Amino acid sequence: MSFTSDPIDTERLSENATGLTRAAALLSKGALVAFPTETVYGLGADARQGEAVAAIYAAKGRPAFNPLIVHVADTVSAKAFVEWAHVAQQLADAFWPGPLTLVLPLRPSHGISSLVTAGLDTLAIRVPAHPVAQALLRSFGGPIAAPSANPSGRISPTTAEHVAAGLEGRIAAILDGGPCDVGLESTIIGFEGAQAVMLREGGVSAEQIEQVLGQALRTQADTTISAPGQLLSHYAPRGAVRLNATQAREGEHLLGFGEISGALTLSAKGDLAEAAANLFGHLHKLDALGGAIAVAPIPMTGLGRAINDRLTRAAAPRG
Ligand code: TXA
Ligand code: MG
């Protein structure tokens, strides 16, 4: 993808009735609107308009053929697009609205652009909890396809300012709903029959899901999709990233956790939810200082696994 098209004037919209009406109108005419969810800001387009969806790929400079998540207002709306099953119902009851995405078979006559699914016969769908996302979905009245609202391969945005820094001039509007609470993308769960499969760690932990289902999650050993979340060097700051650091070396800024305090600290009290909420924002801030980033060890429990997954990608050799 190239960024050669002329810059457009990116509107900043507030989370009031005027802003929401404008955002919905822009989506209806096929324009791109960044909006807040409880996980990260999404770059939204009408999931039924192929050209609008194509514009997402262009604005992000995203490698083609990576499928997108569709956002809907509630479970009833989700059922119009995907084949439903008992396991899906259990997870939707427990975690929707919230930071969980379910990958389910598409229904006939679903109306979703094939650019959203990258030609797959399944759809990744979620019901976000953020009140501004909910209000936008209801005002728009249709499915919104949205990846994270950042240029491909860069840190995910958790504020409207992050979105503007990456995509100003390339998208029609940014709907500002303040900082995101969860700060990590949604957990993605697929199914092999009634067996749930962890496709991406995220805002709902594996333990929480296993508790609801009463079954161990399978992890995907090998995947047929080359997803950006699965590319090794993803979520990358400009500078180098070094993990499991106890102190900063020359030219590094330390990102602390727990007992190890840094230039910025993810959670001084060692709370993984607080750390997740701060992760991308702190990486953005340290990256803006220039130089490299050293990160304190984060435990591999609960949300810690998703945090370590993002950090490992941020630290991976750049391709
Ligand atoms: O929290 C989130 O999930 C955010 C907010 C905006 O909702 N969205 C997000 O989207 O993280 P994105 O595009 O950055 O990540 C979508 C992931 C990709 O790894 C993609 O491969 C996977 O979802 N995905 C989408 N459709 C899929 C499908 N049919 N089967 C398997 N994986 C799929
Ligand atoms: Mg992303």
PDB file of all heavy atoms in Angstrom, residues 16-29:
ATOM      1  N   ASN A  16     -20.641  13.671  21.886  1.00  0.00           N
ATOM      2  CA  ASN A  16     -22.001  14.153  22.144  1.00  0.00           C
ATOM      3  C   ASN A  16     -22.885  13.793  20.946  1.00  0.00           C
ATOM      4  O   ASN A  16     -22.423  13.183  19.982  1.00  0.00           O
ATOM      5  CB  ASN A  16     -21.992  15.672  22.386  1.00  0.00           C
ATOM      6  CG  ASN A  16     -21.292  16.408  21.256  1.00  0.00           C
ATOM      7  OD1 ASN A  16     -21.249  15.935  20.121  1.00  0.00           O
ATOM      8  ND2 ASN A  16     -20.724  17.565  21.563  1.00  0.00           N
ATOM      9  N   ALA A  17     -24.158  14.163  21.016  1.00  0.00           N
ATOM     10  CA  ALA A  17     -25.106  13.768  19.965  1.00  0.00           C
ATOM     11  C   ALA A  17     -24.646  14.268  18.592  1.00  0.00           C
ATOM     12  O   ALA A  17     -24.730  13.535  17.593  1.00  0.00           O
ATOM     13  CB  ALA A  17     -26.499  14.299  20.294  1.00  0.00           C
ATOM     14  N   THR A  18     -24.133  15.487  18.533  1.00  0.00           N
ATOM     15  CA  THR A  18     -23.680  16.047  17.251  1.00  0.00           C
ATOM     16  C   THR A  18     -22.534  15.218  16.681  1.00  0.00           C
ATOM     17  O   THR A  18     -22.520  14.872  15.492  1.00  0.00           O
ATOM     18  CB  THR A  18     -23.174  17.504  17.449  1.00  0.00           C
ATOM     19  OG1 THR A  18     -24.119  18.199  18.246  1.00  0.00           O
ATOM     20  CG2 THR A  18     -22.972  18.205  16.130  1.00  0.00           C
ATOM     21  N   GLY A  19     -21.558  14.907  17.544  1.00  0.00           N
ATOM     22  CA  GLY A  19     -20.401  14.131  17.106  1.00  0.00           C
ATOM     23  C   GLY A  19     -20.806  12.746  16.634  1.00  0.00           C
ATOM     24  O   GLY A  19     -20.322  12.256  15.602  1.00  0.00           O
ATOM     25  N   LEU A  20     -21.702  12.102  17.386  1.00  0.00           N
ATOM     26  CA  LEU A  20     -22.132  10.745  17.041  1.00  0.00           C
ATOM     27  C   LEU A  20     -22.924  10.724  15.735  1.00  0.00           C
ATOM     28  O   LEU A  20     -22.726   9.835  14.897  1.00  0.00           O
ATOM     29  CB  LEU A  20     -22.976  10.154  18.180  1.00  0.00           C
ATOM     30  CG  LEU A  20     -22.162   9.772  19.420  1.00  0.00           C
ATOM     31  CD1 LEU A  20     -23.073   9.597  20.633  1.00  0.00           C
ATOM     32  CD2 LEU A  20     -21.367   8.495  19.163  1.00  0.00           C
ATOM     33  N   THR A  21     -23.789  11.709  15.544  1.00  0.00           N
ATOM     34  CA  THR A  21     -24.582  11.782  14.313  1.00  0.00           C
ATOM     35  C   THR A  21     -23.671  11.980  13.109  1.00  0.00           C
ATOM     36  O   THR A  21     -23.829  11.332  12.067  1.00  0.00           O
ATOM     37  CB  THR A  21     -25.600  12.941  14.387  1.00  0.00           C
ATOM     38  OG1 THR A  21     -26.387  12.753  15.561  1.00  0.00           O
ATOM     39  CG2 THR A  21     -26.504  12.984  13.172  1.00  0.00           C
ATOM     40  N   ARG A  22     -22.677  12.862  13.280  1.00  0.00           N
ATOM     41  CA  ARG A  22     -21.735  13.118  12.199  1.00  0.00           C
ATOM     42  C   ARG A  22     -20.921  11.854  11.879  1.00  0.00           C
ATOM     43  O   ARG A  22     -20.721  11.493  10.714  1.00  0.00           O
ATOM     44  CB  ARG A  22     -20.803  14.269  12.598  1.00  0.00           C
ATOM     45  CG  ARG A  22     -19.724  14.596  11.600  1.00  0.00           C
ATOM     46  CD  ARG A  22     -20.296  15.203  10.337  1.00  0.00           C
ATOM     47  NE  ARG A  22     -19.246  15.465   9.360  1.00  0.00           N
ATOM     48  CZ  ARG A  22     -19.441  15.450   8.038  1.00  0.00           C
ATOM     49  NH1 ARG A  22     -20.639  15.210   7.547  1.00  0.00           N
ATOM     50  NH2 ARG A  22     -18.450  15.700   7.227  1.00  0.00           N
ATOM     51  N   ALA A  23     -20.450  11.178  12.929  1.00  0.00           N
ATOM     52  CA  ALA A  23     -19.652   9.957  12.737  1.00  0.00           C
ATOM     53  C   ALA A  23     -20.461   8.904  11.988  1.00  0.00           C
ATOM     54  O   ALA A  23     -19.961   8.268  11.051  1.00  0.00           O
ATOM     55  CB  ALA A  23     -19.185   9.412  14.089  1.00  0.00           C
ATOM     56  N   ALA A  24     -21.722   8.723  12.385  1.00  0.00           N
ATOM     57  CA  ALA A  24     -22.577   7.730  11.726  1.00  0.00           C
ATOM     58  C   ALA A  24     -22.819   8.110  10.263  1.00  0.00           C
ATOM     59  O   ALA A  24     -22.811   7.242   9.379  1.00  0.00           O
ATOM     60  CB  ALA A  24     -23.902   7.596  12.477  1.00  0.00           C
ATOM     61  N   ALA A  25     -23.009   9.404  10.007  1.00  0.00           N
ATOM     62  CA  ALA A  25     -23.254   9.858   8.630  1.00  0.00           C
ATOM     63  C   ALA A  25     -22.020   9.607   7.764  1.00  0.00           C
ATOM     64  O   ALA A  25     -22.126   9.174   6.603  1.00  0.00           O
ATOM     65  CB  ALA A  25     -23.620  11.337   8.617  1.00  0.00           C
ATOM     66  N   LEU A  26     -20.840   9.861   8.318  1.00  0.00           N
ATOM     67  CA  LEU A  26     -19.608   9.614   7.564  1.00  0.00           C
ATOM     68  C   LEU A  26     -19.462   8.129   7.242  1.00  0.00           C
ATOM     69  O   LEU A  26     -19.122   7.755   6.111  1.00  0.00           O
ATOM     70  CB  LEU A  26     -18.394  10.116   8.359  1.00  0.00           C
ATOM     71  CG  LEU A  26     -18.208  11.641   8.391  1.00  0.00           C
ATOM     72  CD1 LEU A  26     -17.180  12.045   9.457  1.00  0.00           C
ATOM     73  CD2 LEU A  26     -17.786  12.176   7.020  1.00  0.00           C
ATOM     74  N   LEU A  27     -19.723   7.272   8.225  1.00  0.00           N
ATOM     75  CA  LEU A  27     -19.643   5.825   7.985  1.00  0.00           C
ATOM     76  C   LEU A  27     -20.609   5.418   6.880  1.00  0.00           C
ATOM     77  O   LEU A  27     -20.264   4.623   5.999  1.00  0.00           O
ATOM     78  CB  LEU A  27     -19.958   5.043   9.269  1.00  0.00           C
ATOM     79  CG  LEU A  27     -18.899   5.069  10.366  1.00  0.00           C
ATOM     80  CD1 LEU A  27     -19.431   4.405  11.637  1.00  0.00           C
ATOM     81  CD2 LEU A  27     -17.611   4.366   9.912  1.00  0.00           C
ATOM     82  N   SER A  28     -21.828   5.969   6.903  1.00  0.00           N
ATOM     83  CA  SER A  28     -22.848   5.608   5.906  1.00  0.00           C
ATOM     84  C   SER A  28     -22.402   5.956   4.497  1.00  0.00           C
ATOM     85  O   SER A  28     -22.722   5.243   3.547  1.00  0.00           O
ATOM     86  CB  SER A  28     -24.173   6.320   6.193  1.00  0.00           C
ATOM     87  OG  SER A  28     -24.684   5.863   7.412  1.00  0.00           O
ATOM     88  N   LYS A  29     -21.647   7.060   4.374  1.00  0.00           N
ATOM     89  CA  LYS A  29     -21.217   7.392   3.006  1.00  0.00           C
ATOM     90  C   LYS A  29     -19.858   6.774   2.655  1.00  0.00           C
ATOM     91  O   LYS A  29     -19.233   7.139   1.669  1.00  0.00           O
ATOM     92  CB  LYS A  29     -21.269   8.897   2.752  1.00  0.00           C
ATOM     93  CG  LYS A  29     -20.369   9.738   3.582  1.00  0.00           C
ATOM     94  CD  LYS A  29     -20.489  11.198   3.111  1.00  0.00           C
ATOM     95  CE  LYS A  29     -19.247  11.961   3.550  1.00  0.00           C
ATOM     96  NZ  LYS A  29     -19.279  13.365   3.210  1.00  0.00           N
TER      97      LYS A  29
END
